[in-house]
Amino acid sequence: MAKLLVKLQRYFRRKPVRFFTLLALYLAAGSLVFLHSGFAGEPTVTGSQHGPGAGEGPGLPYLGVMQLSRGFKVAATMPEGGRRHGPWFKSTSKEPAERGKAGDYGSTQSRVLRGRSGREKEEDRARYVGCYMDNTRRRTLRGVSFFDYKKMTVFRCQDNCAERGYLYAGLEFGAECYCGHKVQASNASESECNMECKGERSNTCGGVNRLSIYRLELAQESARRYGSAIFRGCFRRPDNVSIALPVSQLMLNMSVDKCVDFCTEKEYPLSALAGTACRCGFPTTLFTLHEREDEQLCAQKCAGEEFESCGTAEYLLVYQTQVQDNRCMDRRFLPTRAKQLVALASFPGAGNTWARHLIELATGFYTGSYYFDGSLYNKGFKGERDHWRSGRTICIKTHESGQKEIESFDSAILLIRNPYKALMAEFNRKYGGHIGFAAHAHWKGKEWPEFVANYAPWWATHTLDWLRYGKKVLVVHFEDLKRDLFVQLQRMVGLLGITACEDRLLCVEGQKDGNFKRSGLRKLEYDPYTPEMRKMISGYIKMVDTALKLRNLSGVPDDYYPR
């Protein structure tokens, strides 16, 4: 070994050029590997002077100006774990972590108060609607139901209804869970929903013929599944059904599986059950899937499976198969250099990556970024590697909020999200990657309080700066985009100067989740915000709401303010 080293040393002494060439190649290879691992911007707070009126409010600290450095960092990622669900009558949810032991509550009043405090903890995944009357002959919630007389909890009921795509979850008798899309009953007194949940004494689960009902925040973004198919709902048969759903097959022994398999084999993304007829097609202007009907209208049992519904000749039960709708999947760079730079601006955690995914599908053109994130590039965002001024992308992602950076753009789509949700989303990304989650130790440690103290002011200054310095700003609320994707996406595409094809937008609705959607079913079992944090954030919300209204824009959505 020593002789070999001596020979190499003599060789490179005689030919030093080869030595330096080899060294340069080694360093270049290492640099390429490091660059490929990805860049990610990290925010830093600068102490520059603020403009008049910006970030000021009674009892609120000076917000400062937050700039985003163009430094780089390896971004952590987590593979998306698909969750497969079986038949509706099988419960697949996991029990939440064991909660703290409750004290001895003997009176009805104390149980009601305890139930209210428990409901407040559920706000991130569901909003408590109220106590409602129920009737065994005509149910208040008419979707699926299941019982567990030993381990029923509020979280378990919400979890099961959310993963099946329902809008409401209701609990009764302390052990029964009902799901549905509409609440069809009268209110009852809150004191009548006082029965303890069988699986947790710290919460109440309705009463005798009384339902404690929650509206699920996750229901519209998650989907009710049957095997590999996604339930879309019950819809009236379109007028030109043979054109809207061109492929059909008579099935005397009909079941959901048979129809879904048939349409999958025919390579159609929609499977519609109409009694004994199975129809396949695409979502089009003839069949938009926007006007959903009551599921009871489709509640005709399948001939081949007594526990399933197969729709009727007039009302179709529609599922989305695993066949990809390719009408909106083609993407490319702009054929000519863009004349204007359009920003897709948002506070971190406000859904910028998801909005980029939607815009790319709707327009057919790649979006760019003010930064470079290798993990996003590897997931298909090919504009990520282009310089943001290249002019080859339809719009540019940015989290910048300084005057100089904002004035670099000719127009902007400003995406605003509820700060309580945005802060938690960005905290999860920072410590768990784009689709991962922060560890329990991070939430309970010093990281979370420090994060809120630094980032909550930035949420306000970001919006205020773009409203003040932006040349042509279209404000889009993340919550409105989730609720009415078709209309909001039309607005966004219109600002980009692209004529939106309705069939392409309908295709986007079926492919809306993309690769960067966190599983909605993993939620914290407690509220991470302290009263002091909420007081501070509420002040910033009022500040942004006032700024929007001064520009004749609609203020922030009502759900930004906690109950």
Side-chain angles (χ1 to χ4, degrees):
M1 187 68 179
K3 290 182 179 180
L4 179 61
L5 291 174
V6 170
K7 287 182 179 179
L8 285 173
Q9 186 179 18
R10 290 176 179 174
Y11 175 77
F12 284 122
R13 279 181 179 175
R14 289 195 301 267
K15 299 180 179 180
V17 175
R18 292 188 181 183
F19 171 73
F20 288 113
T21 301
L22 183 63
L23 180 62
L25 288 173
Y26 174 77
L27 293 174
S31 299
L32 286 174
V33 172
F34 184 62
L35 286 171
H36 185 69
S37 65
F39 293 85
E42 282 295 305
T44 57
V45 185
T46 64
S48 58
Q49 295 298 319
H50 60 295
E56 295 178 352
L60 296 175
Y62 161 53
L63 299 180
V65 179
M66 305 235 8
Q67 300 288 346
L68 202 67
S69 66
R70 289 176 61 82
F72 53 82
K73 172 190 158 190
V74 178
T77 59
M78 175 182 282
E80 185 174 8
R83 186 170 182 176
R84 185 181 179 92
H85 305 293
W88 63 267
F89 50 83
K90 290 184 180 179
S91 176
T92 59
S93 65
K94 295 181 180 180
E95 284 297 309
E98 184 178 352
R99 305 188 180 186
K101 294 181 180 180
D104 184 15
Y105 299 93
S107 66
T108 297
Q109 183 179 5
S110 63
R111 284 197 296 270
V112 173
L113 291 174
R114 190 170 76 253
R116 287 177 183 169
S117 65
R119 290 164 196 152
E120 292 173 359
K121 296 177 182 179
E122 307 295 330
E123 282 181 358
D124 283 336
R125 62 173 166 266
R127 176 171 59 84
Y128 179 68
V129 176
C131 182
Y132 284 78
M133 298 179 184
D134 195 25
N135 191 317
T136 54
R137 295 182 179 178
R138 189 172 178 81
R139 288 291 181 188
T140 301
L141 297 176
R142 301 178 186 177
V144 300
S145 61
F146 57 94
F147 315 133
D148 191 332
Y149 291 95
K150 290 185 178 180
K151 298 182 180 180
M152 179 61 72
T153 65
V154 173
F155 175 83
R156 185 177 185 187
C157 180
Q158 292 173 355
D159 188 29
N160 277 272
C161 292
E163 68 186 22
R164 289 165 174 79
Y166 285 102
L167 298 179
Y168 295 94
L171 296 106
E172 186 175 1
F173 290 109
E176 299 178 7
C177 177
Y178 296 89
C179 311
H181 292 292
K182 294 181 181 179
V183 178
Q184 305 178 67
S186 302
N187 285 86
S189 171
E190 288 294 320
S191 61
E192 295 178 66
C193 289
N194 61 357
M195 296 188 70
E196 292 180 350
C197 300
K198 298 297 182 181
E200 55 174 350
R201 293 189 61 190
S202 61
N203 218 336
T204 57
C205 290
V208 179
N209 292 327
R210 297 293 184 268
L211 278 173
S212 295
I213 296 181
Y214 296 82
R215 180 178 175 84
L216 304 174
E217 300 292 336
L218 307 173
Q220 293 180 355
E221 62 187 71
S222 62
R224 173 172 154 195
R225 293 179 177 268
Y226 187 93
S228 60
I230 301 173
F231 179 74
R232 297 298 298 271
C234 176
F235 301 90
R236 185 185 294 273
R237 186 187 68 178
D239 293 333
N240 300 316
V241 66
S242 59
I243 300 176
L245 301 168
V247 175
S248 63
Q249 176 74 42
L250 183 67
M251 296 181 178
L252 298 179
N253 197 27
M254 173 70 83
S255 71
V256 175
D257 263 345
K258 287 184 174 64
C259 189
V260 168
D261 289 346
F262 172 74
C263 293
T264 301
E265 184 181 343
K266 296 295 182 180
E267 297 187 348
Y268 282 95
L270 292 185
S271 170
L273 292 83
T276 56
C278 175
R279 296 185 175 276
C280 314
F282 294 92
T284 64
T285 52
L286 296 175
F287 194 45
T288 62
L289 303 184
H290 287 166
E291 298 178 3
R292 196 165 176 167
E293 302 288 347
D294 190 333
E295 277 188 50
Q296 291 298 311
L297 298 172
C298 292
Q300 177 176 300
K301 288 185 178 181
C302 296
E305 180 55 69
E306 63 174 320
F307 293 109
E308 297 173 359
S309 295
C310 279
T312 67
E314 290 298 320
Y315 292 93
L316 313 180
L317 210 57
V318 179
Y319 286 82
Q320 184 172 322
T321 71
Q322 290 299 297
V323 176
Q324 188 175 62
D325 189 345
N326 290 319
R327 295 175 300 165
C328 59
M329 299 307 293
D330 60 300
R331 287 168 289 173
R332 63 191 187 281
F333 289 103
L334 292 173
T336 58
R337 184 182 175 90
K339 296 179 181 179
Q340 292 189 329
L341 285 175
V342 183
L344 178 60
S346 74
F347 175 78
N352 199 303
T353 302
W354 180 54
R356 288 179 67 185
H357 166 75
L358 298 176
I359 289 171
E360 290 194 359
L361 295 187
T363 64
F365 296 113
Y366 289 121
T367 59
S369 177
Y370 195 79
Y371 323 101
F372 172 66
D373 189 331
S375 65
L376 291 180
Y377 178 84
N378 294 333
K379 286 289 186 178
F381 289 94
K382 300 303 180 185
E384 192 75 17
R385 274 189 174 174
D386 266 39
H387 189 273
W388 65 281
R389 286 186 178 273
S390 71
R392 297 207 305 160
T393 53
I394 194 68
C395 63
I396 309 298
K397 165 188 174 176
T398 179
H399 299 312
E400 301 297 312
S401 56
Q403 179 179 355
K404 181 180 177 182
E405 288 77 9
I406 292 173
E407 291 178 346
S408 301
F409 294 95
D410 301 296
S411 58
I413 298 170
L414 177 58
L415 191 62
I416 305 174
R417 188 181 186 184
N418 185 327
Y420 294 103
K421 304 291 180 65
L423 288 168
M424 292 178 69
E426 175 60 10
F427 190 73
N428 277 321
R429 186 208 64 80
K430 188 177 178 68
Y431 290 99
H434 281 287
I435 59 173
F437 292 86
H440 185 74
H442 292 134
W443 292 102
K444 287 294 189 181
K446 64 179 182 179
E447 293 91 344
W448 171 243
E450 291 178 355
F451 179 86
V452 173
N454 290 327
Y455 277 65
W458 183 20
W459 176 87
T461 57
H462 184 276
T463 299
L464 296 174
D465 282 356
W466 277 96
L467 291 175
R468 183 179 182 186
Y469 302 119
K471 299 171 185 175
K472 183 180 178 183
V473 179
L474 173 69
V475 174
V476 177
H477 292 284
F478 175 86
E479 293 75 17
D480 293 338
L481 185 59
K482 279 176 53 181
R483 189 180 305 113
D484 195 355
L485 186 144
F486 190 88
V487 172
Q488 296 300 324
L489 197 52
Q490 273 186 320
R491 294 177 63 222
M492 296 163 71
V493 171
L495 181 76
L496 298 173
I498 303 293
T499 302
C501 171
E502 287 192 27
D503 280 357
R504 189 172 183 112
L505 291 178
L506 291 170
C507 170
V508 176
E509 286 187 313
Q511 315 286 333
K512 64 182 181 180
D513 287 344
N515 294 324
F516 285 89
K517 175 179 177 295
R518 287 186 180 85
S519 169
L521 302 178
R522 176 175 171 179
K523 290 287 178 177
L524 286 176
E525 285 298 297
Y526 57 89
D527 182 2
Y529 292 100
T530 64
E532 292 76 16
M533 291 177 183
R534 287 188 174 274
K535 182 179 179 181
M536 175 182 64
I537 294 171
S538 292
Y540 296 142
I541 291 175
K542 292 175 182 176
M543 192 185 304
V544 170
D545 184 63
T546 301
L548 291 171
K549 290 177 178 176
L550 285 174
R551 288 160 179 78
N552 296 320
L553 301 170
S554 59
V556 300
D558 291 338
D559 59 2
Y560 280 28
Y561 296 99
R563 290 190 304 112

